[in-house]
Amino acid sequence: METSSGRRNQKYRTRRALLAAARQLLERKELTTVATAAAEAMISKATAYRYFSTSEALIREALLDAVWRSPESVIGDAADVRERVRRVHIYLFEHTRQNEMAHRLFLSKALDTWVSEGGKPTAQLRGARRLPMFELALEPVRHILTHEKFEALIVALSSTSGIETFIALKDVCGVDDQTADRISWSTIEAILDKALA
């Protein structure tokens, strides 16, 4: 039976292949649609439409994805699990800060799609790039946690990083960048302390 990690990794690879194909089409100044990206990536149209309901959504995410680093390059040579998680968290917050307009627009469009489709979107709305990053960061402790606890830890850490947390701290709480970084990291440390006790 395939694990949730296995399914997540397969979805991540499929989505990455579609985004790479879209970027190649854009670079060649060719028609870029869900169908043409599917053909370029040698993925069925039916599968591609499960990831991107519109060509606009595909292009928007492909442009944002072009400036996204791989999990391996973010974590680098760090061996300690807290340092690995810290590097992912810092990268996610910095990426959000440096590409704030693109992230806010991307989130806005995802929310618009959710509303326009009556709360039941026909395609996955978000790329979920955080999940494989935190999964790789947590690899050193996989063997000491049950599968369920390992998966729950990935989700818990993912919920504390990225544009949603950034917006909550900046827009709702009105804190400055330094305070936002400190608060978000203290939340992550508390999650790690509980999970790894």
Side-chain angles (χ1 to χ4, degrees), residues 65-89:
D65 190 66
V67 293
W68 196 262
R69 289 173 55 195
S70 70
E72 294 79 9
S73 71
V74 170
I75 294 166
D77 61 356
D80 175 72
V81 71
R82 286 177 188 268
E83 175 59 19
R84 292 164 69 95
V85 168
R86 189 184 74 79
R87 289 184 183 187
V88 170
H89 176 66

Side-chain angles (χ1 to χ4, degrees), residues 179-197:
T179 304
D181 292 345
R182 189 178 70 251
I183 291 171
S184 59
W185 175 244
S186 68
T187 303
I188 285 182
E189 284 191 304
I191 291 168
L192 288 172
D193 286 345
K194 182 176 180 182
L196 304 179

